[in-house]
Amino acid sequence: MNLFHQNSDAERMLERDREWLLPVYARFPIVMERGEGVYLFDTSGNRYLDMMAGLGVNALGHAHPRMVRATADQARMLVHLSPQYCTPYAGELAERLCALSGMEGVFYSTGGSEAVEGAIKVARAYAAEAFGPHKHRIVSLLGSYHGRTLGSLAVTGQTKYRDNFGPDLPGVDFVVRDDLASLQAAVSDETCCILIETVLGEGGVYEVSPEFLAEARRLADKHHALLVLDEIQCGLGRTGDWFAFPRIGVKPDVLILGKPLGGGIPLSALLVTGPLFHALGLGKHGSTLGGSPMACRLGLEFLSVVEDEGLLARVTDTGAYLRTHLDGLARELDIAMEARGIGLIQGLELSIPGRPIAESALEQGLMLNFVQGNVMRFLPSFLLERQHVDTAMEIIRPLLHKANREAKAEQPELVAR
Ligand SMILES: *Cc1c(COP(=O)(O)O)cnc(C)c1O
């Protein structure tokens, strides 16, 4: 790789990471130092346009002045204390999240996986209390992603992530996304919840169809099971609405949020409807670092900035503009199969591996992200503007055209259609 030149300090840091950090991530040989809006800067002074926003966390870009001010102010007041004590922000954020979503109670934790674990516990506890422990089965989607802890992994519909970590948490039934018959066959009176990632992100950017979600709601009601929606990635504004589910007209019993919620400070939340308020009783669950004053204050500031700067409308506009370009690429190129997504969660599926494309883009100052090896996934900051899309396309289009020529030269039959 001939990446942007990294100075000798950076080379040393990269070497130290390779020596001391477990090799879990396919990392790029760059040392990032700071960010500003939709741009990142490495320690060698190179600038990168950020189209992945820390895997969807940095919805307000980097170093947003209001987030910086709130962080500094809160750091002087109170960063963390035991969740046994009340602080001014946890309740206010819970009230705001419930007003936005129509839910009626909140439990905070630190990461998405942890919130998924909590949601599973809510569903199992509620069902066990009302119907007995036999009602413990969980229906989840093939191709979904819910996290890496053992419980969230067990409900993630991709076997490759579970290999060698077994035995899996028992009682999980996987169904095919948008296949009503598959869903109907899986849901029974033993089902405690149907768990759905409203827009599958890591799985390749697929929106679940309104018909499928409506059927999940109907089956959940019929069998006294809960409908749990994981909007960790697609929620909190990324679709151009606060959440993905209202547009579809289906209301969950449990809603899981994470990623951008704490403005970059670890914060996730599970939101429940009124009847579930007491499902996790006193002493039944906990999270030492969950819902800290710092994280909740930043969560409130994040919601306020999105409102004050009209960012939902911008997500819709920039997302549609990006999508037009992606649709164009899918038409122009044999290696580009399809563009999918909504708002600023967009994907372009390629028939070739994405890693070399991501590396070449990085050399030109553009941070791209691929999921499933071949789906270019865009999860940029809500601050992204059309001009940034133009800049990204000036790099992406020639790269993909070159890859297209090479693929056709190598394997004409593969790309022919
Ligand atoms: C990222 C993600 C998770 C896991 O969140 P972590 O913070 O990585 O634990 C769960 N569900 C969805 C839909 C996600 O995108």
Side-chain angles (χ1 to χ4, degrees), residues 55 110-114 116 145-148 197 199 201-202 230-234 259 377:
L55 297 172
T110 55
S113 306
E114 198 188 348
V116 171
Y145 183 84
H146 297 289
R148 302 289 197 154
E197 193 183 348
V199 180
E202 195 278 342
D230 179 347
E231 298 213 357
I232 290 170
Q233 188 166 143
C234 65
K259 294 213 158 86
R377 175 183 59 173

Side-chain angles (χ1 to χ4, degrees), residues 63-74:
H64 189 287
R66 282 182 57 181
M67 299 302 277
V68 171
R69 225 176 300 132
T71 307
D73 189 54
Q74 190 59 33

Side-chain angles (χ1 to χ4, degrees), residues 126-403:
Y126 184 71
E129 184 69 30
F131 301 95
H134 67 282
K135 192 173 176 63
H136 68 271
R137 303 197 68 84
I138 300 162
V139 171
S140 183
L141 298 188
L142 285 170
S144 62
Y145 183 84
H146 297 289
R148 302 289 197 154
T149 56
L150 284 170
S152 61
L153 194 58
V155 294
T156 288
Q158 306 185 59
T159 50
K160 67 181 180 200
Y161 293 132
R162 286 201 296 278
D163 282 348
N164 291 345
F165 298 126
D168 299 334
L169 179 80
V172 184
D173 301 302
F174 288 106
V175 301
V176 179
R177 176 182 47 86
D178 290 355
D179 181 334
L180 298 186
S182 167
L183 182 64
Q184 288 153 358
V187 181
S188 75
D189 286 339
E190 292 190 356
T191 304
C192 68
C193 71
I194 305 174
L195 170 62
I196 293 178
E197 193 183 348
T198 324
V199 180
L200 280 74
E202 195 278 342
V205 188
Y206 293 95
E207 285 176 78
V208 171
S209 76
E211 297 72 32
F212 188 83
L213 267 182
E215 183 63 4
R217 179 69 273 176
R218 192 188 70 78
L219 287 167
D221 290 341
K222 180 178 164 198
H223 293 279
H224 305 289
L226 304 181
L227 178 62
V228 181
L229 295 182
D230 179 347
E231 298 213 357
I232 290 170
Q233 188 166 143
C234 65
L236 293 170
R238 186 155 291 283
T239 60
D241 288 310
W242 279 115
F243 305 101
F245 69 85
R247 168 195 309 253
I248 300 166
V250 164
K251 200 181 164 213
D253 303 296
V254 180
L255 176 65
I256 315 173
L257 303 175
K259 294 213 158 86
L261 181 57
I265 297 296
L267 182 64
S268 59
L270 71 89
L271 285 66
V272 300
T273 52
L276 299 173
F277 198 85
H278 295 284
L280 291 177
L282 198 58
K284 289 288 189 185
H285 195 48
S287 175
T288 300
L289 289 158
S292 73
M294 175 64 93
C296 290
R297 166 121 188 230
L298 292 182
L300 281 164
E301 196 68 6
F302 161 65
L303 297 179
S304 297
V305 171
V306 171
E307 272 170 8
D308 296 347
E309 298 188 7
L311 293 183
L312 296 183
R314 189 185 305 179
V315 166
T316 300
D317 178 76
T318 313
Y321 185 71
L322 170 62
R323 177 56 174 278
T324 309
H325 282 274
L326 298 180
D327 281 333
L329 288 170
R331 275 195 307 274
E332 280 165 37
L333 299 164
D334 300 288
I335 55 161
M337 317 304 288
E338 185 183 42
R340 297 186 288 264
I342 173 169
L344 284 178
I345 172 168
Q346 295 284 342
L348 178 67
E349 181 171 344
L350 306 180
S351 61
I352 56 165
R355 180 78 186 189
I357 308 275
E359 288 174 358
S360 305
L362 205 53
E363 286 169 20
Q364 298 177 57
L366 176 67
M367 290 167 71
L368 292 178
N369 170 240
F370 281 82
V371 286
Q372 302 298 313
N374 68 324
V375 180
M376 193 184 287
R377 175 183 59 173
F378 294 86
L379 288 178
S381 152
F382 300 173
L383 300 178
L384 199 81
E385 294 176 22
R386 288 176 176 221
Q387 63 175 73
H388 303 121
V389 173
D390 291 339
T391 304
M393 286 303 150
E394 280 163 24
I395 297 168
I396 293 171
R397 180 166 276 114
L399 275 177
L400 289 184
H401 273 277
K402 179 163 168 282

